[in-house]
Amino acid sequence: LQHIVRREEGYIARSFFNSDKRNLKQGSIMGLLFMIPAGILLLEYDFIRAVPALHHPAVYAMLILAGCIVLACGIYSFQLLARFENSVPGTIKNALMLSLGYLPRTIGMLAAYIGFWAVVLSFYIYLFPVILLFAATLPAYICTLLMGPALF
């Protein structure tokens, strides 16, 4: 998507497969590393719902904040992986620094993903063709537009 935003399209399929071949191992490791905190947050949510004493807005706010941090780091991490050569811990550290350093852009990117999925889940039956066409690409394209100055 970065090539499309920068108007350097060229051969999209060749670029995709070259990037995939270069970054498959690191991308798989990063994907697993982001699934761990996401799974822990889901388990925490289930635990909080099961224990009535924990039903407090501050507890839910902390859980949402932690989820937003994980999502923001994930958005930046995979873009950094596609653009730069770095180790997995270095990429995640840079993603965290970028997500905090460009906080207004990060909030916009989170709004793009969360807003898109909120609409999709609200109208799942009616939007099934839209989901098939744009589920992964539309929020990613919006995020690539928003993070342009941070990465280019």
Side-chain angles (χ1 to χ4, degrees):
L1 287 174
Q2 295 172 8
H3 296 290
I4 294 171
V5 170
R6 287 183 285 158
R7 308 255 190 256
E8 300 172 353
E9 291 177 37
Y11 296 104
I12 294 174
R14 185 185 317 161
S15 173
F16 172 78
F17 286 116
N18 286 338
S19 177
D20 188 43
K21 187 168 70 172
R22 276 194 330 266
N23 300 320
L24 183 63
K25 183 179 176 185
Q26 280 187 319
S28 299
I29 292 169
M30 263 201 303
L32 290 172
L33 286 176
F34 281 110
M35 278 197 259
I36 292 169
I40 290 171
L41 288 172
L42 286 173
L43 288 173
E44 286 287 329
Y45 177 72
D46 283 344
F47 179 74
I48 290 168
R49 287 188 50 201
V51 178
L54 294 176
H55 289 218
H56 193 273
V59 175
Y60 286 112
M62 288 188 299
L63 194 64
I64 290 170
L65 179 64
C68 287
I69 291 170
V70 170
L71 180 60
C73 281
I75 292 170
Y76 277 104
S77 290
F78 289 104
Q79 288 283 339
L80 287 171
L81 178 66
R83 180 98 167 120
F84 302 106
E85 295 291 326
N86 202 353
S87 65
V88 173
T91 302
I92 294 172
K93 181 183 124 199
N94 290 338
L96 182 61
M97 290 182 350
L98 281 171
S99 65
L100 294 174
Y102 290 94
L103 194 59
R105 292 179 187 280
T106 303
I107 291 170
M109 288 186 270
L110 290 172
Y113 270 101
I114 294 170
F116 180 80
W117 284 107
V119 169
V120 163
L121 293 175
S122 298
F123 302 105
Y124 177 72
I125 302 287
Y126 306 112
L127 294 177
F128 189 71
V130 174
I131 295 168
L132 289 177
L133 291 173
F134 302 112
T137 57
L138 183 63
Y141 183 72
I142 292 169
C143 288
T144 304
L145 287 173
L146 286 173
M147 76 172 60
L151 295 180
F152 303 136

